[in-house]
Amino acid sequence: MKKIFIILLCMITLNVNATEMCARNDTVVIPLDATVDGKIGGFSKIEWLWWITYGYGTVYGSATCLSRKEISMYSDWNGSGNLPGGLLLGTSSDELVGLSGYYMNADINPDIPDSEKSDYNRSYCFCKLTHPMNSTWILGLNICSECYNLCAQVLSTHHYALGLRTVLFNSIGTVPPWTE
C-alpha cells in the first residue's frame, strides 16, 4: 500500500511560481515590492535619516536639500523650467546627506548677484535608500522643511508614492562605483 501511495504522490503535478532574477558575483538578492504600501516608521532630525516599515521588512534612507544649481550639476536637468517629478540624480554619494541653507553660502557671498541667489537656495527635498541597498537620490518634494520626515511620508503614504517607490527601487545599482 505504501508503494502505491508513493507512486500516486509522484504523479501529482504541482504549480510552482518563481520570480526570475539575476545576481552576479554571489550577490544577495532582496526583492523590494513597490506596490506594497508602507507605514511610516520614523525619522531622525539630527542624522537626516528616515525609515519605513513594509510587510517584507524595514527600509532605511537618508534625506538632503539641494539647490537648482546642485541639481543641474548632478542630473541631466538643464536648469530651466520646473523640475520633473521623480527626478533622479546621477549620484548616490553619502556626502550630500543633510545639506540645507544656501549652496556656496550664496546668501552672504558678495560674488553671487542677487538675481541668481534663488538658484542657490537649497529648497528641494531629495531622498535615497541606504538599507538594505543604496539607491540614487530622487526628488521627493519641492519644499525642504523637515525633509527627513517628508521622505518617510512621501515614499509610504503619499498619493503618488507608488510611482516614486518604483523609480527609487529601480535606481538601485545603476550608479557606479561597483567592482567587476
Side-chain angles (χ1 to χ4, degrees):
M1 185 68 172
K2 250 186 186 179
K3 290 181 184 180
I4 295 172
F5 183 68
I6 291 173
I7 292 171
L8 287 174
L9 281 177
C10 290
M11 295 173 74
I12 296 174
T13 60
L14 299 174
N15 289 338
V16 178
N17 297 321
T19 302
E20 184 179 322
M21 290 186 246
C22 298
R24 65 177 156 175
N25 300 336
D26 298 324
T27 303
V28 175
V29 176
I30 302 170
L32 297 173
D33 188 356
T35 62
V36 175
D37 286 331
K39 297 177 187 162
I40 298 174
F43 57 89
S44 169
K45 293 179 184 181
I46 296 169
E47 297 175 333
W48 286 63
L49 301 177
W50 53 268
W51 53 92
I52 301 170
T53 303
Y54 295 98
Y56 51 81
T58 303
V59 297
Y60 298 86
S62 298
T64 194
C65 295
L66 296 177
S67 67
R68 293 173 74 86
K69 289 284 188 187
E70 291 168 301
I71 295 166
S72 63
M73 287 183 339
Y74 291 115
S75 71
D76 293 336
W77 179 65
N78 63 8
S80 64
N82 292 330
L83 290 167
L87 175 70
L88 288 173
L89 299 183
T91 183
S92 61
S93 174
D94 289 332
E95 292 179 5
L96 299 179
V97 174
L99 298 178
S100 62
Y102 279 81
Y103 174 57
M104 296 177 53
N105 294 323
D107 56 335
I108 58 172
N109 189 340
D111 296 333
I112 299 172
D114 288 342
S115 60
E116 294 181 19
K117 290 190 190 260
S118 63
D119 289 339
Y120 290 82
N121 185 14
R122 289 182 170 141
S123 57
Y124 297 93
C125 179
F126 279 80
C127 316
K128 81 171 222 149
L129 288 178
T130 57
H131 178 80
M133 299 160 257
N134 266 330
S135 71
T136 59
W137 291 95
I138 188 170
L139 176 62
L141 287 173
N142 293 344
I143 56 173
C144 220
S145 175
E146 293 192 4
C147 182
Y148 38 81
N149 184 17
L150 291 175
C151 287
Q153 288 179 4
V154 165
L155 292 169
S156 64
T157 60
H158 200 270
H159 68 276
Y160 62 88
L162 174 61
L164 284 177
R165 279 195 307 262
T166 301
V167 172
L168 187 65
F169 291 173
N170 288 340
S171 77
I172 293 170
T174 59
V175 176
W178 56 74
T179 58
E180 272 302 313

